[in-house]
Every structure is written in structure tokens, then in C-alpha cells.
Amino acid sequence: MAEGDLNIRNGVTVFEDELQEQFIRSSGPGGQNVNKVATAVQLRFNARSARGLPQRVREKVLELAGSRATKEGEIVIEAGRYRTQELNRADARDRLIELLTRAAEPPPRPRKKTRPSRSAIERRLKAKAGRSSIKKMRGKVSFD
């Protein structure tokens, strides 16, 4: 594993050569500096062809990415929160790590089917019968 590789969890690794970074101009306030310096970063990661991701994690990360994922299976993260390239670069990588960590979580256990106890069933039916008799008493009274 090289120095720039991201080790997410057991068996989930993002290799440095799979990440593409492009620096773009930030939007928002910042004076003339915003118009001159490309401080925001656009991080691209092709999850569909990543060799360090198991198949289950690939599918889950594309599902979690939502609109950040392209049709080709590429995840695009734009980070322009900070005023320096280094901080924005670290922010984009952190967000990718967070996304991959959530995708690498094991699936939840299947629900164990349970049945109500016999006494619970009897109590429910007794309550239903009681409510039924109360409602029957609300009817019209006949003087026969």
C-alpha cells in the first residue's frame, strides 16, 4: 500500500492512482481573490472500476452517493469550504472516506420473527369482546 492510499476498513482500500483531483474556482464571497485563484477541489473517484472495493461496497457507495454519482459510476465531490487548496483537498478526501465508511458497514441482521404469547392473544380477544358489547349497548332501545 502506497503512502497516498486510503485504507477505509478491512478489505476496503482506495488507491492513490484511482483518485483524480482538479482545482477549480470557488463560488461565493471572497473578494477579487475568488476570481483569480482556483482553491476549490473537484475529487473524482470511479467506484465501478475501483480494484480495492468489494462488489457489495461498490453498489452501496453508488446508492449512498445519490446525485454525486454519474451514470458511469464515478463519484464527484466538490469541496470549496476553505480558502486554501490543501484544506479543501483534505476536506474532499475526508468526505469520500466518510461515504465509503458508511458503505462498508455490514448489513443489519435479518429480523427474527416473533409471535404473541397465548395470554396476550386471550387478553386482546377479551378486550375486543368488551368493546363490542359496549358498542352494541349504544343501539336504539326497543320497548317490547
Side-chain angles (χ1 to χ4, degrees), residues 55-107:
Q55 185 62 31
R56 182 187 65 79
V57 176
R58 283 182 198 170
E59 294 168 0
K60 186 73 173 172
V61 77
L62 289 172
E63 179 185 319
L64 288 173
S67 63
R68 293 176 289 189
T70 63
K71 291 178 184 174
E72 294 79 32
E74 200 170 55
I75 297 173
V76 180
I77 296 176
E78 289 188 13
R81 232 183 271 183
Y82 303 103
R83 294 183 76 146
T84 63
Q85 284 185 349
E86 294 81 24
L87 288 175
N88 284 329
R89 186 176 186 204
D91 183 38
R93 285 177 179 245
D94 288 343
R95 285 164 43 192
L96 178 65
I97 289 170
E98 179 186 331
L99 185 67
L100 287 168
T101 303
R102 283 186 28 220
E105 289 175 354

Side-chain angles (χ1 to χ4, degrees), residues 3 11 20 45 70 78 105 114 124 126 132 138 140:
E3 186 178 316
Q20 298 172 345
F45 171 65
T70 63
E78 289 188 13
E105 289 175 354
T114 58
R124 182 180 65 87
K126 189 175 180 183
S132 174
R138 293 182 188 158
K140 288 192 173 192

Side-chain angles (χ1 to χ4, degrees), residues 6-15 51-55 57 104:
L6 305 174
N7 191 12
I8 310 299
R9 277 189 167 208
N10 306 354
V12 179
T13 305
V14 176
F15 298 103
R51 32 183 218 275
L53 299 182
Q55 185 62 31
V57 176

